[in-house]
Amino acid sequence: MRYALQRIGQLLVVFVVVTFAVLVAMRLGAGGHRELARRMLGGNVTDQQVDEAVRRYHLDSNYLVQYLYWLKGFVTFDLGYSSANSMSVAKLLAPRFWTTALLGIYAIAVGLLLAVPAAVIQAHRRDSWIDRLGNVASFIGFGVPAIVLGIFLQLAFSLHWHLFPAIGDSIYPWQQFGAHVRNFLLPTLTLAIPQAAIYTRLLRADMVATLQRDFVVLASAKGMPTRRILWRHALRNSLLSIVTSVGTSLGGLLGGAVVVETLFDLDGIGSQMVISVLSRDLFTVQACVAFVVFIVVVVNLVVDLSYSLIDPRVRMARALA
Amino acid sequence: MTVLRRLRRAGGWFAATWLVALVGLAVTAPWLPFVRAADEKVRVGGKLQSRYRLGPGRHALFGVDNSGFDIFARCIHYARNSLLVGVSATVIGLLVGGALGVAAGYFRGWVDRIVSVVIDCILSIPALVLAIVLVSRLDDIRQELPGLGWVTRRWQVVAALSLLAVAPLARIVRAQTLALREREFVLAARSLGATSRRVIATEILPNLVPTMVTVASTGLGLLIAAEGTLAFLGVGLGESWGYLIEANRRRLDKAWWATVFPCLMLFVTVMAFNLLGDRLSRRFDVREVIT
């Protein structure tokens, strides 16, 4: 419990420092608060509107006060006004959130589906040709840039075999399930392959170590089927490394989502962020970054706290500390 | 085992050859007879070959693009930007990240606490998101503040990418320094009366070099990929492989060469740096690699 509070405190500090830095960075350099308000509203605005924006977002006070008001807005989903889209940022981002969230969840799921069997088989048949093949594959999967992978998948699947639309519109699973799968398959694969490579590497190393432990030797001496040893006992003892890798690779996944959403024309948080950066839409960019950081922080917290649920030893060690 | 070792050695040689050839071509491109200028249009028999008319072949090795530019020539010329940006960012990352990491790991206390919080903060923002926002903000700030006229887009990209390189390097160096400072040889040096500066310079830093070189090599690949990605998204350099990919990818069905060859250049270069990093990590027995 004490550990949990400590971690929550640390991550809260990270979140506050980052969002504050983002706010300062976004608002720095405009000469005076009226000019800043004009820029945040965008386009032609009357003096009256400028005055109102200054009052509403407290632009005439210092950054700390502005930040506290922004934080209050963030907590209550009042994220400001998107000048480029003439609507509130919350309204703009709400549907886009689902696209990115689904994409991320699919990518992690598919990544795990690819990685877990590969890692278990590789660890079991260590140094065999299948292990080497897996190592080469995860080496390439780890290194390939998302743009290149996405283009190659487009080339192979949608142009050569005419299987999927190269350019997808985001359709949600509760609307048309078939179209949803067709649209999300290639983006998901593009994101999932690098993830799978990272998971495989870590899980394989952990499994190799686990398979050398005494209880595995005992189990096989007892005559327990290999399959049961591998998938039950060894895998369960290596779960921590998967959970860790999902947490640590989340940043890369969200960065990849920016590329993939742009490449496959999906309307997500990532592609919206690029558009907003290019059109100097300050509120939207700030909200997107804060949102992404929030997700990274929360997921890492969940990962940290789930250690003690998964592994009783961690729980004991922390209770004693 | 021998097969694997031979394969790995072949990979290392391939990586080294590719990188040497690429650097050589990129540097000497303006004087090479078989490389057109980046803005020279391809003509066959006096006729302009625009609108992807020419595929890969005798007249243009990688084909032409919509305006009739030679894709091969552009790939070679633009390699300069990728390599220059990647190497500059890595050097800055090594210097700044190394200094921060050593300071945090060696002196501990409040230095360590501040550096650790800063690293945690930087790493909590997805690298690409950080780079996008940074480059675009530097665009505005450059225009608003006087005296920054010399800052070009290229240096903005370098600045953004070096920030990405600093955080992981500082974290790894800090962890290594924490372990090294407890070792006997450091204790020995200190009990002989060596100052902190001397201990760092003669005992700690030489032991950090293998890790830093290894991490920097893999990191260089990642940074070049990031440079291409920034250009692809429209926030990076216009003269970049990533920009070529973005400009031509909508015509993938009509002219695959205009997209595929820049993709391959980016892919092989990134993989070459990764292979190099892999070789080095085996050579120096470095376990920690950036994920």
Side-chain angles (χ1 to χ4, degrees), chain A residues 181-236:
Chain A
V181 172
R182 284 169 66 99
N183 283 335
F184 272 69
L185 194 79
L186 287 186
T188 301
L189 272 183
T190 313
L191 277 182
I193 287 171
Q195 293 293 308
I198 297 172
Y199 302 159
T200 310
R201 275 185 172 190
L202 288 170
L203 183 59
R204 179 191 169 276
D206 201 349
M207 280 287 285
V208 165
T210 308
L211 287 178
Q212 285 164 352
R213 300 254 300 275
D214 288 343
F215 75 89
V216 173
V217 177
L218 175 70
S220 71
K222 248 180 20 166
M224 188 185 279
T226 315
R227 187 177 294 172
R228 197 176 158 85
I229 297 177
L230 278 179
W231 293 95
R232 253 305 159 77
H233 299 274
L235 182 60
R236 204 184 257 185

Side-chain angles (χ1 to χ4, degrees), chain B residues 85-105:
Chain B
V85 165
V87 171
S88 323
T90 305
V91 169
I92 296 174
L94 279 173
L95 292 178
V96 178
L100 287 177
V102 169

Side-chain angles (χ1 to χ4, degrees), chain B residues 9 27 38 45 47 50-51 62 73 94 98 101 104 117 135 151 163 180 187 194 209 215 229 244 253 260 263 279:
Chain B
R9 194 164 294 165
V27 171
K47 199 166 181 303
S50 62
R51 292 174 185 272
F62 291 174
L94 279 173
V117 168
V135 173
V151 181
L163 190 63
L180 283 172
L187 186 68
V209 168
V215 174
T229 307
L244 288 180
D253 51 342
V260 167
C263 274
R279 286 282 293 169

Side-chain angles (χ1 to χ4, degrees), chain A residues 101-156:
Chain A
L102 286 174
L103 203 56
I105 291 168
Y106 292 163
I108 291 174
V110 173
L112 287 176
L113 277 178
L114 291 172
V116 172
V120 169
I121 292 167
Q122 274 184 266
H124 178 47
R125 301 195 173 275
R126 200 178 146 202
D127 289 332
S128 68
W129 64 269
I130 199 162
D131 184 23
R132 282 166 203 168
L133 196 71
N135 280 341
V136 172
S138 59
F139 185 75
I140 295 174
F142 173 76
V144 58
I147 10 173
V148 175
L149 185 59
I151 295 275
F152 284 172
L153 284 174
Q154 274 187 354
L155 201 67

Side-chain angles (χ1 to χ4, degrees), chain B residues 107-165:
Chain B
F107 295 113
R108 316 263 297 263
W110 60 270
V111 183
D112 187 18
R113 220 167 272 174
I114 292 174
V115 170
S116 297
V117 168
V118 171
I119 295 172
D120 280 348
C121 288
I122 296 177
L123 289 178
S124 77
I125 313 174
L128 196 58
V129 171
L130 184 62
I132 294 169
V133 173
L134 220 59
V135 173
S136 75
R137 278 309 293 164
L138 285 173
D139 258 352
D140 298 345
I141 290 173
R142 183 188 58 186
Q143 284 162 12
E144 281 149 7
L145 298 178
L148 286 176
W150 55 273
V151 181
T152 54
R153 199 61 180 282
R154 184 188 285 157
W155 295 114
Q156 291 172 27
V157 175
V158 170
L161 293 186
S162 37
L163 190 63
L164 301 191

